[in-house]
Amino acid sequence: MASCAARGRAELSKAQAVRRIGILGGTFDPVHIGHLRSALEVAEFMGLDELRLLPNARPPHRDTPQVAAEDRLAMVREAVQGVACLSVDARELERDKPSYTIETLESIRAELADNDQLFLVLGWDAFCGLPTWHRWEELLQHCHILVLQRPDADVEPPDELRNLLAARSESDPAAMSGPAGNISFVWQTPLAVSATQIRQLLASGKSVRFLVPDAVLAYIEAHELYRAPN
């Protein structure tokens, strides 16, 4: 199977030795086709060597996940099985403390070559909330930020981000150079599916087939996840 880098990097130099790594975090409670389609589209569009799905352990800005970390990790691994450019990074689940993105970026960056490019993939709502993140001003020291922008996005960024965008934005995401430091936007039409919707359907005994990969559905059914308490 050809990698995403092989399929999506025709415009880049064949001799380029720099690795291009993307990370997409989330609780993945459960992982669904919206997560996976976004990840695959970004990986192919950007010609990434690898896009890592990174399950959060204890996200500071979100509710505690409904199912255990080991189940969420197992479902993500099932979901990306056989997809060449998608992988799973479990480092946040190995920490016994809140999942701060800056610490994750520092950890990943320490494993990469100095010139390797690291891309943090965020949805528009998450991007607008950046000023509330721990040490958020340091993020661009370690990565580029790719924002998944939607035609229906109606949230205005705070002033702190307006200033950052004025200084660091790059209109062409494929033109971002260097290992870190810029922000760009990737336009996507999102699939109308959410983890909340899936949990509600499962709790009411309804089918979520075609909203999650078959392997994930099989895992949910085998482990009786997201059922309403008796």
Side-chain angles (χ1 to χ4, degrees):
M1 181 184 297
S3 69
C4 286
R7 293 195 300 269
R9 205 187 294 179
E11 74 282 4
L12 300 177
S13 170
K14 299 296 185 181
Q16 185 179 29
V18 173
R19 295 183 69 211
R20 295 160 61 83
I21 307 296
I23 58 172
L24 175 63
T27 53
F28 301 123
D29 188 27
V31 64
H32 56 68
I33 59 170
H35 299 131
L36 298 165
R37 186 64 203 173
S38 291
L40 186 60
E41 286 184 4
V42 169
E44 292 188 332
F45 176 75
M46 292 297 296
L48 301 182
D49 294 284
E50 179 184 9
L51 193 148
R52 304 177 185 180
L53 298 181
L54 201 146
N56 305 142
R58 292 161 52 192
H61 298 285
R62 302 192 63 174
D63 294 336
T64 300
Q66 186 168 326
V67 304
E70 56 265 29
D71 288 318
R72 292 185 291 114
L73 177 61
M75 287 188 284
V76 177
R77 284 178 169 159
E78 290 284 353
V80 304
Q81 186 72 31
V83 184
C85 57
L86 300 185
S87 64
V88 183
D89 190 320
R91 75 185 66 219
E92 288 196 354
L93 300 182
E94 296 165 358
R95 301 182 194 145
D96 186 24
K97 59 180 182 178
S99 302
Y100 291 121
T101 299
I102 185 63
E103 295 175 356
T104 299
L105 292 172
E106 289 173 334
S107 174
I108 295 174
R109 175 55 69 188
E111 300 169 358
L112 301 178
D114 290 345
N115 292 330
D116 287 345
Q117 291 185 301
L118 183 60
F119 299 90
L120 174 63
V121 181
L122 298 175
W124 175 246
D125 290 344
F127 176 70
C128 288
L130 275 189
T132 67
W133 290 24
H134 180 58
R135 294 167 53 198
W136 74 278
E137 302 95 333
E138 301 173 38
L139 294 174
L140 288 175
Q141 297 176 20
H142 305 284
C143 69
H144 297 293
I145 294 178
L146 284 174
V147 183
L148 302 179
Q149 178 66 292
R150 306 179 316 201
D152 60 346
D154 57 3
V155 177
E156 291 294 325
D159 289 341
E160 301 98 316
L161 286 183
R162 291 179 187 275
N163 296 334
L164 188 65
L165 284 168
R168 299 295 189 93
S169 63
E170 168 59 63
S171 59
D172 180 2
M176 290 193 289
S177 61
N182 294 117
I183 302 169
S184 195
F185 294 83
V186 177
W187 285 87
Q188 289 198 322
T189 302
L191 298 173
V193 55
S194 72
T196 299
Q197 170 197 17
I198 290 169
R199 293 194 300 269
Q200 291 172 344
L201 288 170
L202 289 166
S204 63
K206 296 179 180 177
S207 174
V208 296
R209 192 173 186 192
F210 309 125
L211 296 177
V212 299
D214 287 345
V216 173
L217 178 57
Y219 187 95
I220 289 171
E221 292 177 341
H223 294 81
E224 300 183 352
L225 302 180
Y226 305 110
R227 289 188 173 184
N230 295 324

